[in-house]
Amino acid sequence: ALPMPVGFLAAPFMGKLPVFRTVLRWAGSVAIEAKDPKPWRDQVRDLLRNGKNLVVFPEGQDWLKAQDFDAGLAEFHPGFAAFAHDARVPVVPMVIERVEVEIVPFETSPIFRRLSGNPSELETTKKVMRYRRCAVQVLEPIGVDLFADRPKKEAVPWLVDEARSRMNAALG
C-alpha cells in the first residue's frame, strides 16, 4: 500500500467504459491521451494544486506495447513533468520491483473491446506480466525548488531526465 491516497492518470479507453469511468472519477483519477494531454491539462493541474496525489506511469503504455518484459524503462512521455511544472508540485518517483511474476496471455471480451472503443492496444497486446508479488519503492521527492524557477522548456526535459535517472538507479 502507498503511504497516501492517490488517483491515477489512466489510458483514454478506460474513461469510455461506464463502470471504470465512474470509478476513475470517484477516485480523483483522469483518463488521458498521452499523445495529446492538452484537453486535460487544466483538470490535472487543478487536481494537483488542490493536493491530490496522482500516480503517473511516465512510459505510458509503451513498455507494455513493446511486449519485451526483460527490457528496462521505455522512453518517458514529458506530460508528467509539464503537469508538475504548471502546478508547482514535487515529483515523487516510484519503481515497481518484481518479486514474483509470470507472463500470461492477455484476453479481453468482445463487449469490453466494443465499450472501450476497440483501442489498438487491446488488439496488439498479446501477453501481460502478472505480478504475484512485488515491492513498490517510493524514492526521494524531486522538490519544486529544483525546477519551478526554470523556464518550462528547460524544466520539463530536466525533470524527465532526473526522474528517469533516479528510477534507473533504484532498479539497479
Side-chain angles (χ1 to χ4, degrees), residues 7 9 11 28-29 36 39 41 46 67 72 99 105 114 145 149 155 158 171:
L9 290 189
S29 300
D36 185 20
R41 184 171 288 140
D46 291 346
Q67 294 284 281
V99 175
R114 189 178 79 246
D145 58 310
D149 291 337
W158 179 86
L171 292 169

Side-chain angles (χ1 to χ4, degrees), residues 13-86:
F13 70 85
M14 299 298 283
K16 295 178 182 176
L17 297 163
V19 173
F20 286 102
R21 180 176 50 240
T22 302
V23 170
L24 286 172
R25 206 173 303 129
W26 173 79
S29 300
V30 182
I32 185 169
E33 176 58 63
K35 290 180 176 69
D36 185 20
K38 289 177 186 159
W40 297 277
R41 184 171 288 140
D42 291 343
Q43 181 182 3
V44 171
R45 185 195 60 232
D46 291 346
L47 284 169
L48 292 170
R49 283 186 177 163
N50 289 319
K52 184 69 177 181
N53 297 300
L54 290 175
V55 172
V56 179
F57 294 92
E59 303 163 287
Q61 298 174 46
D62 293 350
W63 183 79
L64 180 62
K65 287 179 182 177
Q67 294 284 281
D68 180 356
F69 298 105
D70 293 322
L73 296 171
E75 286 300 310
F76 284 14
H77 297 266
F80 79 94
F83 290 140
H85 186 269
D86 289 349

Side-chain angles (χ1 to χ4, degrees), residues 141-150 158 162 166:
I142 302 172
V144 176
D145 58 310
L146 297 175
F147 63 87
D149 291 337
R150 300 177 189 215
W158 179 86
E162 183 66 16
R166 291 182 185 198

